[in-house]
Amino acid sequence: MRYSRLFLPTLREDPSEAEVISHKLMVRAGLIRKLASGIYTYLPLGLKVLRKMENIVREEMNRAGAQEILMPGVQPADLWKESGRWEVYGKELLRFQDRHGHDYCLAPTHEEVVTDLIRREIRSYRDLPLNLYQIQTKFRDEIRPRFGLMRGREFGMKDAYSFDADEAGAEASYRVMFEAYQRIFKRCGLRFTAVEADSGAIGGSFSHEFMVLAGTGEDALVHCPGCGYAANTEKAELPPPSPVSNQGPEIPAPEKVLTKDMRTVEEVTRFLGVGPDDLIKTMIYQTSQGPVALLVRGDHEVNEIKLKNLLDGHEPELAGPELIQKVTGAPVGFAGPVGLQVRLLADQSVKIMTRAVVGANLADYHLINVVPERDFSPQGYYDLRSAQEGDPCPRCGAAMEIKRGIEVGHVFKLGTKYSQALRATYLDPQGREQLVVMGCYGIGTGRTVAAAIEQNHDSNGIIWPMPLAPFEAVILPLQVQDPEVMEAAENLYQALLKLEVDVLLDDRDERAGIKFKDADLIGIPLRLSVSRKTLAENQVEFKARRSEKLEFFVLAEAAGRIKEIRDRLLAADD
Ligand code: ATP
Ligand code: MG
């Protein structure tokens, strides 16, 4: 490709709305442009990278025995009602009606459609196992689209679905996908880790997330340096706290203290001279079963996923000022469990608190000397908070670390959740009807590309891993007006094309400085510069994007050398 013909609008400045480096660089390097919140156009360079990513996925899926199909993006509500998810999926599901008034949605995922497909086609155990996948556009009306392709509303996903006759088969299919995922992310040049995860709205028995480690990741993961246990903090189980012996002096009855205008844990505890772990936060949630008050220690965070799973799978919603006033009789900031007439759930660490501060359900007042079970009794104590740095590992008890990651892939063992709901069955060798056992496996294609940039960049721009690079090499003729320079560059270009190296010729009449800057920004792994100076020595200058070192190749050998390096870098990630 010749740069002068390439639709590649680069920008010198970071776009103001971009918060993370991958978003900034994708816009600046002319990979994407925004149409609306969370909705993007891929420009030629961005699309090339996406296609390379998709092809790696496709090769590994095919190698693992999965077969590619393509399902529709528009789906009838009836199927979603059959699975029960029309009700529970919530606001991320974009719903609409056709001209006949029939309900539809834009696909956020395809379990319903693929299960409908196989229930019509699978008859006997001989038709199993089966694994079908697609690379397709999803739509989720995310509450906070951000970070460019990382959390879009319209985004690309590879989703695969496995169908087996029994649990053992399903587990084998899961393992095969797990291994394929490891190969895919390795080939994309990513540093990643697979962690235990919550199975969310998809449901099912167990799952792993593939996390790319990056400081800007939206997910927090816990990692145990002791035994290697790793999990999303959304999921990480916490062992019940060890009971404390309650031998201290008798604790006096709760006492009301004036805490005028003090609403936050920090304000109240500083004023009272206690630690945040001496305070019980009382959070009011609206749920499908009515309002619920949730108690957690002041230094802990409520884990809404654990809460959701404890309730009934419906999304709980933090109450607004009106509901809080109605439930507690007090404005925001003064809720407490003592005397509260509402369903009370507590995190397990609340149980062993001995002398707590709580809201008094009265404007400007808190209670001190509150003792759980003496002064209030929740309906139960559960694991309802998110893991934090230093929390004990549920496996070995060692202190866990928190790291940040980007979830690029997710594998779920679904079991019979969907085959049961949609009656997807087969006949076993004895002629008995059995439920198909399923698994599902997603990879965000655009998000993976963004994650690759998060891990591979410097202050000058992107540093593409070879397998994802939009071009493998770039040739910079530094004086395009000089026919000799142009001819040498052109010959090199033709030689590289012949060797099937994906090469860009920067034939623009621009200053050398600008060409170097753009080549760095768009991150082409291998760069060859041709100038009068190098030609005087019958050479070209070579530099790898990842390294600072300059080398000189003999002109006639340059194309061969580049191909060799390209091949080596492709194989390195293979
Ligand atoms: P998240 O927790 O980040 O919302 P999820 O659990 O909803 O992800 P899945 O339903 O497992 O995601 O989807 C499979 C994959 O699709 C994810 O691992 C991720 O790579 C990608 N993905 C999900 N949501 C988005 C999005 N809004 N934008 C881009 N990619 C996404
Ligand atoms: Mg999501």
Side-chain angles (χ1 to χ4, degrees):
M1 185 79 202
R2 290 165 201 278
Y3 204 135
S4 61
R5 306 302 316 145
L6 184 59
F7 180 47
L8 175 50
T10 58
L11 304 173
R12 290 279 161 257
E13 301 294 322
D14 285 337
S16 57
E17 57 175 26
E19 297 166 70
V20 297
I21 193 74
S22 58
H23 186 193
K24 290 177 188 168
L25 287 175
M26 287 184 106
V27 175
R28 282 189 51 206
L31 301 173
I32 57 168
R33 285 294 181 266
K34 177 167 146 180
L35 174 65
S37 172
I39 302 179
Y40 290 84
T41 296
Y42 281 86
L43 305 185
L45 219 60
L47 188 61
K48 272 193 91 177
V49 177
L50 183 73
R51 292 287 184 250
K52 287 199 173 180
M53 177 344 124
E54 290 174 347
N55 278 333
I56 290 173
V57 170
R58 195 168 270 124
E59 277 174 30
E60 295 299 339
M61 283 295 118
N62 293 346
R63 188 194 323 210
Q67 299 173 61
E68 187 167 2
I69 61 173
L70 185 57
M71 292 180 273
V74 171
Q75 307 186 347
D78 289 347
L79 262 182
W80 284 75
K81 288 179 182 156
E82 240 187 298
S83 74
R85 283 208 292 186
W86 188 254
E87 266 64 51
V88 296
Y89 209 95
K91 291 186 181 157
E92 271 186 26
L93 189 64
L94 187 65
R95 303 154 206 251
F96 59 95
Q97 291 190 332
D98 69 4
R99 64 168 77 195
H100 307 293
H102 297 143
D103 288 322
Y104 284 84
C105 63
L106 281 185
T109 175
H110 281 74
E111 283 81 10
E112 279 78 1
V113 170
V114 81
T115 311
D116 176 63
L117 175 74
I118 67 110
R119 73 174 164 185
R120 293 165 194 280
E121 310 303 332
I122 299 273
R123 291 274 159 269
S124 125
Y125 68 96
R126 287 188 211 90
D127 302 327
L128 301 172
L130 180 67
N131 189 327
L132 301 173
Y133 77 97
Q134 64 173 348
I135 298 174
Q136 208 252 13
T137 302
K138 303 281 189 259
F139 194 94
R140 294 181 185 176
D141 203 354
E142 298 276 356
I143 184 163
R144 217 179 304 127
R146 56 183 184 160
F147 302 162
L149 297 187
M150 204 81 92
R151 182 163 299 282
R153 293 199 294 167
E154 183 174 307
F155 60 93
M157 198 202 284
K158 182 287 301 176
D159 42 329
Y161 304 87
S162 65
F163 307 93
D164 279 275
D166 52 29
E167 282 295 324
E171 268 165 42
S173 295
Y174 186 89
R175 228 171 9 253
V176 169
M177 283 294 110
F178 191 96
E179 283 157 15
Y181 273 40
Q182 287 182 310
R183 281 197 302 274
I184 289 167
F185 295 123
K186 189 152 170 279
R187 282 183 64 183
C188 291
L190 295 167
R191 295 181 298 285
F192 63 94
T193 171
V195 304
E196 288 185 15
D198 180 79
S199 29
I202 311 269
S205 36
F206 64 80
S207 76
H208 284 91
E209 284 167 355
F210 285 77
M211 293 283 188
V212 166
L213 300 175
T216 50
E218 284 188 287
D219 286 276
L221 7 153
V222 294
H223 173 256
C224 173
C227 68
Y229 171 77
N232 196 316
T233 48
E234 286 177 352
K235 148 93 186 184
E237 315 140 34
L238 291 166
S242 8
V244 287
S245 59
N246 212 344
Q247 300 295 336
E250 183 92 357
I251 295 163
E255 188 186 325
K256 233 165 41 192
V257 289
L258 182 67
T259 49
K260 190 152 178 51
D261 292 332
M262 294 176 201
R263 294 184 159 78
T264 65
V265 174
E266 225 229 306
E267 286 164 348
V268 175
T269 54
R270 190 165 1 103
F271 175 70
L272 294 173
V274 297
D277 54 342
D278 292 320
L279 182 140
I280 299 174
K281 284 191 282 195
T282 304
M283 319 281 290
I284 311 294
Y285 280 90
Q286 183 58 278
T287 77
S288 60
Q289 304 159 349
V292 166
L294 186 72
L295 310 178
V296 288
R297 229 166 66 180
D299 58 331
H300 289 160
E301 293 302 324
V302 174
N303 183 320
E304 291 186 1
I305 299 204
K306 290 182 180 175
L307 176 61
K308 182 175 98 176
N309 291 343
L310 177 70
L311 296 167
D312 49 2
H314 282 72
E315 213 74 49
E317 217 173 293
L318 207 51
E322 249 169 62
L323 182 63
I324 290 177
Q325 177 81 43
K326 198 170 143 221
V327 171
T328 69
V332 178
F334 301 98
V338 179
L340 200 60
Q341 295 305 314
V342 70
R343 186 172 172 200
L344 215 54
L345 302 172
D347 179 67
Q348 53 192 5
S349 49
V350 168
K351 190 171 183 181
I352 58 157
M353 292 174 76
T354 47
R355 193 170 185 171
V357 175
V358 304
N361 297 324
L362 186 63
D364 292 334
Y365 282 94
H366 278 77
L367 295 178
I368 58 170
N369 300 332
V370 172
V371 181
E373 292 309 312
R374 185 190 73 179
D375 302 318
F376 67 89
S377 292
Q379 186 185 319
Y381 297 90
Y382 308 92
D383 175 10
L384 285 173
R385 69 176 179 97
S386 296
Q388 296 178 346
E389 181 90 28
D391 273 331
C393 168
R395 299 281 156 77
C396 77
M400 296 191 291
E401 302 168 349
I402 302 274
K403 294 185 174 174
R404 301 215 65 86
I406 301 164
E407 178 199 322
V408 287
H410 204 165
V411 291
F412 298 90
K413 193 167 146 289
L414 284 173
T416 55
K417 178 176 161 139
Y418 294 93
S419 47
Q420 181 127 42
L422 299 180
R423 298 304 305 165
T425 59
Y426 69 94
L427 295 178
D428 71 11
Q430 285 73 42
R432 290 174 309 205
E433 196 179 10
Q434 305 279 5
L435 290 173
V436 173
V437 186
M438 289 174 55
C440 75
Y441 317 91
I443 290 180
T445 50
R447 188 184 282 185
T448 303
V449 168
I453 297 175
E454 289 291 329
Q455 279 191 341
N456 299 281
H457 67 269
D458 62 14
S459 57
N460 297 323
I462 304 171
I463 307 175
W464 288 113
M466 186 59 83
L468 295 184
F471 292 99
E472 295 164 333
V474 59
I475 303 170
L476 308 183
L478 299 184
Q479 300 94 14
V480 285
Q481 304 295 359
D482 185 322
E484 235 181 284
V485 170
M486 255 342 260
E487 196 194 322
E490 185 75 38
N491 288 343
L492 199 50
Y493 177 60
Q494 296 301 338
L496 282 167
L497 287 179
K498 227 187 191 143
L499 293 172
E500 292 185 338
V501 173
D502 195 2
V503 56
L504 177 66
L505 174 64
D506 191 348
D507 57 345
R508 295 173 304 163
D509 189 3
E510 290 283 4
R511 283 185 293 117
I514 291 192
K515 292 191 176 188
F516 286 130
K517 260 202 155 59
D518 279 333
D520 277 355
L521 176 63
I522 63 179
I524 310 303
L526 310 176
R527 183 185 87 190
L528 287 171
S529 317
V530 188
S531 67
R532 280 189 211 111
K533 226 169 100 197
T534 64
L535 287 184
E537 308 281 329
N538 196 31
Q539 287 179 330
V540 294
E541 179 197 278
F542 165 75
K543 184 180 166 299
R545 177 68 181 85
R546 221 177 255 291
S547 125
E548 289 305 314
K549 207 172 85 194
L550 292 178
E551 281 180 71
F552 292 89
F553 295 163
V554 174
L555 191 54
E557 292 170 6
R561 297 283 295 273
I562 290 290
K563 178 182 154 42
E564 255 172 51
I565 300 170
R566 191 275 314 264
D567 290 347
R568 186 152 38 78
L569 287 174
L570 273 185
D573 295 313
D574 205 340

